[in-house]
Amino acid sequence: MLTIIGCGNLNRSDDAVGVIIAQRLQKYLAENPHPNVQVYDCGTAGMEVMFQARGSTKLVIIDASSTGAEAGAVFKVPGEELEALPEPSYNLHDFRWDHALAAGRKIFQDDFPQDVTVYLIEAANLDFGLELSPIVQQAADLVFEKTVEIIRNS
């Protein structure tokens, strides 16, 4: 089972890029069914990422980044390089997808995907807004096509 998860906040301009790609992939799968592929829009809910990934053999996460790199840059990173255990807290809002990777592997062990790839798209604008900036939209199109290729090869 291949699971693809888009993360982000639809109300924060380029932060929505992962969610927008996930929604496009859901439409793609509705027209081109692949029974061993599931796509989720997990928004900003790290705990949901952990539970949706459970039972998959391969996981792809798509999200925006803000590293100071050139806007629209696309980073393809192995999941194990980004996973991080969360600091002890009683607030699930602080539990992000990078925490979900580490916690899911620890909790679910062999029932959590070992093959994890993360696509990060460098944001140009994280202010309140409903549109992607043009440079991030171009990067989103590229990541969408790369993800469709992964689906076709699964």
Side-chain angles (χ1 to χ4, degrees), residues 14 17 71-72 121-125 132-141:
D14 293 339
V17 70
I121 300 172
E122 188 71 13
N125 178 12
L132 296 178
S133 61
I135 191 74
V136 170
Q137 181 61 59
Q138 289 175 351
D141 293 342

Side-chain angles (χ1 to χ4, degrees), residues 1-68:
M1 177 69 67
L2 165 63
T3 299
I4 302 166
I5 297 177
C7 297
N9 183 335
L10 284 171
N11 298 312
R12 299 296 299 255
S13 300
D14 293 339
D15 190 41
V17 70
V19 171
I20 290 169
I21 293 170
Q23 291 171 349
R24 285 181 65 190
L25 290 167
Q26 288 169 334
K27 289 179 186 175
Y28 172 83
L29 285 176
E31 297 169 4
N32 306 279
H34 287 264
N36 293 323
V37 178
Q38 51 193 7
V39 177
Y40 297 103
D41 159 7
C42 288
T44 59
M47 194 64 70
E48 188 174 349
V49 170
M50 185 176 75
F51 286 107
Q52 297 297 4
R54 182 182 186 186
S56 299
T57 54
K58 184 172 184 168
L59 174 63
V60 175
I61 295 177
I62 306 166
D63 198 3
S65 61
S66 180
T67 65

Side-chain angles (χ1 to χ4, degrees), residues 58-120:
K58 184 172 184 168
L59 174 63
V60 175
I61 295 177
I62 306 166
D63 198 3
S65 61
S66 180
T67 65
E70 183 178 342
V74 175
F75 304 98
K76 180 181 177 185
V77 185
E80 62 267 11
E81 290 188 24
L82 298 172
E83 65 186 48
L85 285 171
E87 295 294 321
S89 169
Y90 293 104
N91 183 350
L92 288 180
H93 294 284
D94 294 334
F95 191 85
R96 304 179 316 248
W97 61 255
D98 55 335
H99 301 142
L101 294 179
R105 191 171 322 285
K106 188 171 187 172
I107 294 167
F108 301 127
Q109 298 176 11
D110 292 339
D111 200 27
F112 200 78
Q114 299 300 311
D115 183 353
V116 180
T117 301
V118 180
Y119 283 98
L120 297 171

Side-chain angles (χ1 to χ4, degrees), residues 137-152:
Q137 181 61 59
Q138 289 175 351
D141 293 342
L142 175 70
V143 171
F144 173 80
E145 290 301 325
K146 288 179 182 282
T147 312
V148 166
E149 188 175 315
I150 293 169
I151 292 170
R152 288 183 183 142

